[in-house]
Amino acid sequence: MALSIINIHVNVTGTSTRFFDVLAANLAVTDGTTIAATAFLDDSGNAATAFPIVANGYYNFYVNGVLQEGDSYTISATELTFNGVTGTITAGTPLVVEAVELVTQT
């Protein structure tokens, strides 16, 4: 059998949507603590109504600019939920949710 070379060309593009919140008061975090999507502002400074549902991509969550472990939170359209973490996030701490959607084209 002769060797054949298969050339596969795939383009991947992504879109990123970010949401921002600066805590007005200390937030006591335990397993299951939630923050509503409506507490965040979008990239344009408008109040968020919901987080986008990411079908092919991922979410990143930053506390004071530090990326959090993926298993320490979940995100739905309506809220961010802390999973298995405890502590206090102090007032004035910035929170950022980033939703990245990837699209492939062949």
Side-chain angles (χ1 to χ4, degrees):
M1 174 179 248
L3 175 68
S4 45
I5 297 175
I6 300 172
N7 185 6
I8 299 174
H9 184 74
V10 178
N11 288 325
V12 178
T13 58
T15 58
S16 174
T17 308
R18 291 174 302 274
F19 300 89
F20 307 90
D21 182 26
V22 177
L23 292 177
N26 289 351
L27 177 65
V29 175
T30 60
D31 187 37
T33 299
T34 63
I35 303 174
T38 55
F40 289 80
L41 302 176
D42 65 16
D43 276 332
S44 300
N46 299 315
T49 56
F51 294 129
I53 299 300
V54 174
N56 296 304
Y58 55 91
Y59 296 100
N60 285 325
F61 175 51
Y62 300 85
V63 176
N64 203 24
V66 178
L67 180 62
Q68 302 302 296
E69 292 181 25
D71 291 340
S72 67
Y73 63 92
T74 52
I75 296 176
S76 69
T78 58
E79 63 193 11
L80 177 144
T81 303
F82 291 90
N83 300 321
V85 295
T86 59
T88 300
I89 305 174
T90 58
T93 300
L95 307 177
V96 178
V97 170
E98 178 182 37
V100 178
E101 183 75 35
L102 302 172
V103 177
T104 58
Q105 298 172 342
T106 55

